[in-house]
Amino acid sequence: MDRDRLANAYARELETFAVAHPRSQAAYASATHLFGQVPMTWMNKLATGFPLYLDRAQGHTVHCIDGHEYLDLALGDTGAMAGHSPEPTVRAVRRRLEELGGITTMMPTEDAEWVGAELTRRFGAARWSFSLTATDANRWAIRLVRALTGRPKILVNPYCYHGTVDESLIVVDSDGHGIDRPGNVGAPVDVTLTSRAAEFNDLAMLERELAHGDVAAVLMEPALTNIGIVLPEPGYLEGVRELTRAYGTLLINDETHTFSAGPGGATAAWGLEPDVVVVGKAIGGGIPSGAYGLSEDLAARALARTDLDLVDMGGVGGTLAGNPLSVAAMRATLGEVLTDEAFAGMTARAERFAAGVDAVITRHDLPWSVSRLGARAEYRFARPAPRNGTESAAAADGPLEDYLHVFLVNRGIMLTPFHNMALMSPTTTDEDVDRHTAVFEEAVASVL
Ligand code: PMP
């Protein structure tokens, strides 16, 4: 690839983007009361120079305030996997807001038990508790596994993402030893006091770390999804379960993104047997929602511990967690939108997406690959596909990624920032997928 040509093409696309979005540009320029000029600092992840401001969104379509329409393959980085404002979720939320009232009350609603039962049907875990974010679900799960095992450390895979969870911000140096993830803002303590790390797909490294006997739990995604999609090799996840059992370590599956694998995430799709399941983002159709599920045995052990304050100040809980609005949204979204049937269609679209991208990669003989996990697919600038997070991080190509993102946006297609990820909603069509394939090919051809 000719890098000068890429830089020139990127400059041209940025210019096109700026000309087409004067209102977004002006809104960003005048946002002086926001830290970093954005509602949340990560919104400064900008291939386009300034952010697109949202006007409205429905299904898998969004409109920006300059009046342009986009095919949304980002879907709020999974928060909107059910599509934007799906009718059943909106209906249930409206009912709670307008007819029944009670957005947050400190009182349970009957919807919660329905959601718990549905999550058990899907993911297997027997006892559920709610949060408003996957980050908090992970934090509370971590506190419980520490309390139950009496061990201090959590083991994660380098370049995982589990939210802003202190324990997870660890990578490994070239000798395979844990170190702070570069850029970590204000780490409370040296991360090696709280955490260990072992590369995804590396059972020998996992055993080496577990053998210290101080790991309360392995917290992992069954496939890495936040550094491209890194799929497990045959036997790896079974090995993780065997080793964790052998060393008295619990296993937490964070299914927040791998939920794309099917109605019960990778846990059900691949017959996994975690002790704890965490899920968030999509289950409320975009209304803040998260949950963690414990095995029956773990739940009983926790409840039997009179020294653990699970009710008041013990460190697991949030005032708004499990509020009536959030739980109504989860019930409607799981019951009527992200159904087993919906997943079948979403997965078929993602298969088509991956096949289309793969054909372009092959036709142009690019050293790239595409990986798919149920309803989500992602291309990566490496072939064969990276086997672990560190390899995948090394395959990043910022300038190329930025170029593809702005090229696609200028032609009405949004990929997920931070990724080359495309997620299918229940309403995404084959035609949408084919439109992406055609524009992707055009983008590739433009810089070869
Ligand atoms: N777990 C995983 C696997 C995630 O990908 C993310 C966010 N990308 C989170 C947890 C945290 O989700 P949230 O920011 O909504 O708390």
Side-chain angles (χ1 to χ4, degrees):
M1 186 163 297
D2 178 338
R3 290 283 153 173
D4 287 339
R5 192 164 170 195
L6 178 66
N8 291 334
Y10 181 51
R12 274 199 309 278
E13 292 297 329
L14 276 183
E15 176 63 26
T16 304
F17 180 83
V19 169
H21 299 97
R23 279 191 66 186
S24 280
Q25 188 165 24
Y28 184 56
S30 64
T32 54
H33 292 85
L34 303 177
F35 179 39
Q37 289 177 253
V38 279
M40 178 65 231
T41 50
W42 58 252
M43 290 185 191
N44 275 321
K45 177 77 178 173
L46 293 172
T48 48
F50 56 88
L52 271 183
Y53 275 60
L54 174 71
D55 177 27
R56 59 189 198 276
Q58 188 64 52
H60 57 285
T61 303
V62 300
H63 289 83
C64 70
I65 59 173
D66 284 291
H68 305 292
E69 180 180 312
Y70 300 89
L71 160 61
D72 186 4
L73 296 171
L75 297 172
D77 195 18
T78 309
M81 185 162 86
H84 297 290
S85 298
E87 190 278 328
T89 308
V90 170
R91 191 173 5 104
V93 164
R94 271 221 156 101
R95 181 161 180 268
R96 175 49 68 188
L97 287 173
E98 296 173 358
E99 285 173 40
L100 302 171
I103 299 171
T104 193
T105 56
M106 300 183 86
M107 295 161 74
T109 56
E110 289 169 322
D111 287 339
E113 170 58 18
W114 188 97
V115 175
E118 175 65 7
L119 290 173
T120 297
R121 179 186 79 80
R122 290 174 179 237
F123 293 95
R127 303 282 184 266
W128 290 85
S129 194
F130 299 115
S131 62
L132 294 183
T133 65
T135 300
D136 269 346
N138 277 320
R139 286 202 184 108
W140 301 339
I142 284 173
R143 295 186 80 101
L144 284 168
V145 295
R146 278 210 178 102
L148 290 170
T149 59
R151 295 179 176 187
K153 292 187 179 169
I154 302 299
L155 185 143
V156 298
N157 303 123
Y159 293 97
C160 63
Y161 189 71
H162 297 286
T164 53
V165 173
D166 291 314
E167 288 83 348
S168 66
L169 293 165
I170 184 170
V171 293
V172 292
D173 63 16
S174 51
D175 295 327
H177 296 121
I179 50 170
D180 268 312
R181 186 156 172 168
N184 185 2
V185 181
V189 291
D190 178 346
V191 74
T192 57
L193 294 175
T194 63
S195 310
R196 292 189 176 278
E199 295 286 5
F200 196 79
N201 278 325
D202 190 335
L203 290 173
M205 191 168 181
L206 176 64
E207 180 155 28
R208 185 191 79 191
E209 295 299 312
L210 292 183
H212 292 277
D214 56 3
V215 178
V218 170
L219 167 62
M220 68 184 294
E221 294 186 280
L224 296 180
T225 66
N226 285 293
I227 189 76
I229 295 174
V230 180
L231 294 169
E233 290 174 347
Y236 170 63
L237 295 175
E238 292 82 348
V240 170
R241 187 64 278 197
E242 279 167 28
L243 286 174
T244 46
R245 283 199 174 119
Y247 287 95
T249 295
L250 296 170
L251 177 61
I252 308 174
N253 275 2
D254 180 351
E255 290 270 22
T256 303
H257 279 180
T258 51
F259 186 26
S260 66
T267 297
W270 299 338
L272 308 177
E273 296 175 1
D275 300 292
V276 184
V277 176
V278 166
V279 63
K281 296 198 189 188
I283 55 172
I287 298 287
S289 313
Y292 62 90
L294 306 171
S295 68
E296 198 166 341
D297 168 55
L298 274 191
R301 276 164 52 198
L303 292 171
R305 284 271 298 270
T306 50
D307 61 320
L308 300 182
D309 181 0
L310 290 165
V311 174
D312 194 359
M313 301 290 278
V316 286
T319 315
L320 300 181
N323 72 68
L325 189 71
S326 171
V327 178
M330 286 189 269
R331 179 172 187 166
T333 305
L334 293 171
E336 300 176 65
V337 189
L338 290 176
T339 57
D340 297 7
E341 303 74 56
F343 268 97
M346 291 152 68
T347 302
R349 299 293 101 68
E351 281 168 0
R352 187 180 182 98
F353 180 98
V357 168
D358 195 45
V360 173
I361 290 173
T362 306
R363 199 151 46 240
H364 294 275
D365 196 21
L366 296 167
W368 301 358
S369 52
V370 57
S371 301
R372 184 182 65 81
L373 181 67
R376 74 196 288 134
E378 177 147 358
Y379 32 93
R380 202 83 194 142
F381 309 119
R383 192 178 60 193
R387 294 181 57 243
N388 62 46
T390 301
E391 274 180 31
S392 195
D397 185 334
L400 179 57
E401 189 166 308
D402 284 350
Y403 175 66
L404 288 175
H405 276 254
V406 69
F407 189 98
L408 290 168
V409 161
N410 282 340
R411 286 148 189 85
I413 299 175
M414 270 181 23
L415 277 186
T416 313
F418 301 93
H419 302 262
N420 302 310
M421 193 276 281
L423 182 62
M424 308 299 140
S425 81
T427 57
T428 312
T429 65
D430 283 349
E431 291 69 42
D432 297 323
V433 167
D434 293 347
R435 188 147 73 82
H436 166 271
T437 308
V439 175
F440 174 69
E441 173 133 43
E442 206 189 314
V444 166
S446 71
V447 285
L448 288 182

